[in-house]
């Protein structure tokens, strides 16, 4: 036999070409699934014993062997062999080499097709919890900023043009909400990750008397997959997971864009800590926001990963196809990128300071209370469209006279509408504007304080 080192070598009369081994191997990235692979095998072996498919003694040998292998991997002593393709074969071969015939019984009623599906689900289940924690940390940073700067005012933008004044805290809590939805999405996606695939075997199930429910319970899966063919070909859960991560990355990237703008001299809204910026090798005066820039830049690879994954799946016939091995790198890279981004941004925010005087100053120009004036007219019974036109003319007048709305006299204002009275001035101030916005989800201090309390309760601060 020329292919004896392979666990599947029986049918082959020629040794696998070295180039083929190199081309098909995935061990250099799927070795990160070793813990999950071993956990799955431990549960599977336990079930095999219970079902009388292997003896208790064999089960014990398998168990000890697997635990030793895990230990070796953790200590960095285990040698992964590319010619053994993947994590499953590397571990199984090591087990057989170590304990002999009992090891050769582990793969009873199992295929790598359901095994890899299991490993990935176990892995993503754990990673979901880690991501949920990281997201909560980022949310926490926003709540802290919202608390610290409660009362501070800044311009709110649409089209990146000054639009209406808002509370800094309101802006911070906008991100709290965005990352909150990401958490919800992750939890939802976890429901579909959390289904036991093992027992689907190669594609059609098995004729051997296995107990899938027992394995599910051992591994903490609340459900067992329903259709063996669907199971081994299914990577929907991975797509969902990467899609959720892509949204997280987009949120990080939008935040980063704002941080880059805000820390520029032109805006001058925030001061990033020196310890979270970098300098220039030629321009001595520079302090660059490299962290947000890198996060923004890394969005490309995250979006790309999502594209690779869905494109890889697109044309696959049922059931398992080797193409599916290409799922892991995009999943892992997305996870690494997103979790590192979340961790660093939580820290950066904790060290960031708003320049409140400059922010307030920025609200004083740009006719940002124009909508308030229109709303004022509405309350004086002027139809909104008419009020809009009146205020439009008033703003045009301001531009001509180089004045802000608040600087106009009552006489000047009344040129545009008789409905305007002395009480108009309180609505023309920026604070008055902010404070009036008490609709649910609005930027008034009252509503923002409520939102902040709710956020604190949610995060158990
Ligand atoms: N390394 C493979 C993967 O990641 C494991 C399953 C291989 N199955 C097979 N029949 N070749 O998809």
């Amino acid at each position: 036999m020329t292919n004896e080192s392979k666990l599947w070598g029986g049918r082959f009369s020629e040794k696998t070409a070295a180039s083929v081994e190199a081309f098909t191997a995935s061990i250099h990235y799927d070795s990160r699934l070793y813990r999950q692979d071993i956990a799955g095998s431990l549960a599977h072996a336990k079930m095999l014993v219970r079902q009388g498919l292997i003896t208790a003694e064999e089960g014990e040998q398998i168990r000890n062997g697997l635990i030793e292998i895990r230990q070796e991997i953790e200590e960095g002593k285990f040698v992964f062999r590319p010619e053994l393709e993947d994590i499953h074969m590397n571990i199984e071969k090591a087990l057989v080499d170590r304990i002999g015939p009992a090891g050769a019984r582990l793969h009873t009623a199992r295929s790598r097709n359901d095994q890899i599906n299991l490993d990935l689900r176990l892995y993503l289940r754990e990673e979901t919890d880690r991501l949920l924690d990281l997201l909560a940390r980022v949310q926490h940073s926003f709540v802290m900023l919202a608390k610290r700067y409660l009362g501070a005012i800044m311009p709110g933008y649409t089209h990146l043009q000054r639009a209406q004044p808002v509370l800094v805290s309101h802006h911070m809590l906008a991100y709290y909400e965005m990352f909150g939805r990401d958490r919800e999405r992750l939890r939802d996606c976890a429901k579909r990750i959390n289904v036991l695939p093992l027992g689907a075997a190669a594609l059609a199930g098995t004729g051997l008397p296995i107990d899938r429910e027992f394995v599910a319970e051992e591994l903490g899966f609340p459900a067992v997959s329903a259709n063996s063919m669907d199971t081994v070909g299914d990577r929907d859960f991975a797509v969902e997971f990467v899609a959720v991560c892509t949204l997280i990355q987009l949120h990080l990237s939008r935040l980063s864009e704002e941080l880059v703008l805000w820390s520029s001299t032109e805006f001058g809204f925030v001061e990033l800590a020196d310890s979270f910026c970098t300098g220039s090798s030629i321009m001595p005066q520079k302090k660059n926001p490299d962290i947000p820039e890198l996060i923004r830049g890394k969005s490309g690879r995250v979006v790309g990963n999502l594209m690779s994954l869905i494109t890889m799946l697109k044309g696959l016939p049922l059931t398992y196809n080797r193409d599916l091995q290409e799922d892991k790198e995009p999943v892992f890279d997305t996870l690494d990128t997103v979790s590192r981004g979340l961790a660093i941004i939580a820290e950066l925010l904790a060290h960031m300071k708003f320049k409140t005087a400059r922010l307030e100053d920025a609200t004083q120009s740009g006719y940002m209370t124009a909508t308030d004036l229109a709303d004022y007219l509405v309350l004086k019974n002027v139809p909104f469209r008419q009020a809009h036109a009146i205020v439009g003319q008033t703003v045009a007048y301001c531009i001509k006279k180089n004045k802000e709305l608040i600087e106009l006299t009552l006489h000047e204002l009344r040129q545009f509408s008789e409905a305007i009275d002395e009480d108009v001035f309180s609505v023309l101030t920026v604070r008055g504007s902010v404070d009036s916005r008490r609709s649910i989800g609005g930027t008034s201090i009252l509503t923002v304080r409520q939102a902040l309390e709710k956020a604190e309760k949610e995060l158990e601060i």
Side-chain angles (χ1 to χ4, degrees):
M1 194 159 116
T2 46
N3 216 348
E4 64 211 354
S5 71
K6 297 278 191 300
L7 292 168
W8 44 255
R11 182 225 182 278
F12 289 78
S13 54
E14 285 178 9
K15 200 173 169 343
T16 319
S19 56
V20 171
E21 283 178 343
F23 188 75
T24 54
S26 56
I27 189 64
H28 51 290
Y29 52 81
D30 66 20
S31 59
R32 81 153 91 177
L33 297 172
Y34 79 90
R35 266 193 312 111
Q36 291 73 19
D37 197 75
I38 289 172
S41 290
L42 287 171
H44 183 67
K46 198 162 168 185
M47 182 276 291
L48 293 177
V49 172
R50 267 173 61 103
Q51 299 301 105
L53 288 163
I54 61 175
T55 66
E57 203 194 317
E58 286 163 340
E60 193 55 27
Q61 283 177 303
I62 290 175
R63 206 180 101 82
N64 294 337
L66 287 172
I67 291 171
E68 274 172 39
I69 291 170
R70 182 168 62 197
Q71 183 79 20
E72 274 183 26
I73 297 176
E74 259 147 29
E75 288 166 1
K77 291 185 192 145
F78 190 89
V79 182
F80 289 108
R81 290 163 53 189
E83 70 275 18
L84 292 174
E85 283 182 44
D86 54 26
I87 186 63
H88 324 300
M89 291 300 204
N90 267 274
I91 291 176
E92 197 184 323
K93 181 79 168 68
L95 185 72
V96 175
D97 287 350
R98 188 168 306 227
I99 66 171
R105 292 183 186 274
L106 172 63
H107 210 53
T108 305
R110 184 175 80 170
S111 155
R112 277 188 292 161
N113 301 350
D114 55 349
Q115 195 179 354
I116 185 59
N117 200 294
L118 172 67
D119 292 5
L120 198 56
R121 284 172 188 271
L122 285 171
Y123 181 77
L124 291 184
R125 195 169 75 176
E126 283 174 35
E127 291 300 314
T128 299
D129 288 339
R130 213 166 57 83
L131 273 183
L132 284 170
D133 282 350
L134 282 168
L135 283 163
R137 260 162 59 192
V138 172
Q139 283 188 303
H140 188 270
S141 296
F142 281 115
V143 168
M144 289 299 128
L145 283 168
K147 248 178 115 150
R148 187 169 347 134
Y149 291 101
L150 193 62
I153 291 182
M154 69 186 290
Y157 293 81
T158 64
H159 312 265
L160 200 57
Q161 309 285 327
R162 286 184 188 168
Q164 289 171 349
V166 293
L167 289 181
V168 169
S169 307
H170 199 47
H171 202 131
M172 295 300 96
L173 291 178
Y175 281 106
Y176 174 86
E177 291 295 324
M178 289 153 82
F179 289 110
R181 284 196 299 279
D182 292 333
R183 288 176 73 192
E184 253 175 56
R185 268 185 284 269
L186 263 182
R187 283 198 208 96
D188 190 64
C189 160
K191 289 186 215 151
R192 282 170 297 282
I193 291 176
N194 217 359
V195 176
L196 175 83
L198 206 67
L203 78 158
T206 173
L208 295 168
I210 59 169
D211 183 349
R212 297 188 69 197
E213 263 138 13
F214 173 78
V215 178
E217 214 176 290
E218 274 295 296
L219 294 171
F221 284 104
V224 172
S225 69
N227 179 302
S228 60
M229 294 182 77
D230 171 41
T231 302
V232 293
D234 175 22
R235 291 295 181 279
D236 295 6
F237 64 96
V239 173
E240 273 191 69
F241 184 85
V242 171
V244 172
C245 287
T246 304
L247 268 171
I248 299 175
Q249 182 67 26
L250 294 190
H251 289 158
L252 283 174
S253 187
R254 294 180 70 175
L255 167 67
S256 296
E257 171 66 14
E258 296 209 304
L259 295 178
V260 170
L261 287 172
W262 289 353
S263 59
S264 69
T265 312
E266 282 68 14
F267 275 82
F269 285 1
V270 296
E271 185 69 45
L272 301 178
D274 276 9
S275 51
F276 281 81
C277 291
T278 53
S280 157
S281 58
I282 175 167
M283 297 168 284
Q285 85 285 11
K286 291 299 290 291
K287 173 172 161 185
N288 297 327
D290 292 35
I291 293 175
E293 287 174 291
L294 277 169
I295 291 176
R296 194 177 55 185
K298 285 175 193 289
S299 306
R301 61 199 287 164
V302 173
V303 171
N305 288 338
L306 178 61
M307 291 307 125
S308 331
L309 196 58
I310 61 184
T311 310
M312 177 275 283
L313 273 179
K314 174 190 165 288
L316 293 189
L318 296 189
T319 57
Y320 179 84
N321 299 272
R322 190 63 180 267
D323 313 45
L324 289 170
Q325 179 168 296
E326 288 292 308
D327 62 352
K328 278 167 279 303
E329 282 172 297
V331 168
F332 294 161
D333 184 68
T334 297
L335 238 166
D336 294 346
T337 308
V338 171
S339 46
R340 284 182 198 142
L342 286 169
I344 193 90
I345 215 75
E347 267 189 82
L348 178 137
L349 292 173
H351 290 85
M352 184 177 86
K353 290 194 171 70
F354 276 100
K355 298 179 178 170
T356 50
R358 164 90 187 121
L359 283 169
E360 176 134 17
D361 216 42
T363 62
Q364 301 304 314
S365 55
Y367 322 105
M368 294 221 290
T369 54
T371 318
D372 300 270
L373 181 55
D375 289 349
Y376 168 87
L377 289 168
V378 165
L379 290 175
K380 302 273 175 181
N381 211 21
V382 179
F384 180 74
R385 272 292 150 237
Q386 216 171 306
H388 189 286
I390 292 169
V391 180
Q393 287 154 16
T394 316
V395 169
Y397 175 83
C398 284
I399 294 170
K400 210 165 69 200
K401 296 280 174 192
N402 198 18
K403 282 182 166 184
E404 283 297 320
L405 286 166
I406 189 89
E407 291 163 354
L408 299 180
T409 63
L410 185 57
H411 178 72
E412 281 175 303
L413 283 163
R414 282 177 67 91
Q415 299 171 76
F416 303 99
S417 170
E418 294 281 294
I420 300 178
D421 280 318
E422 194 62 58
D423 59 347
V424 73
F425 293 104
S426 64
V427 313
L428 292 183
T429 68
V430 169
R431 296 239 159 232
S433 162
V434 168
D435 245 8
S436 72
R437 301 187 184 279
R438 300 191 179 180
S439 52
I440 298 174
T443 193
S444 78
I445 190 101
L446 191 86
T447 35
V448 170
R449 196 170 268 139
Q450 283 165 357
L452 192 51
E453 271 165 26
K454 186 174 144 273
E456 286 187 297
K457 212 171 274 160
E458 279 168 4
L459 291 183
E460 291 165 10
I461 297 175

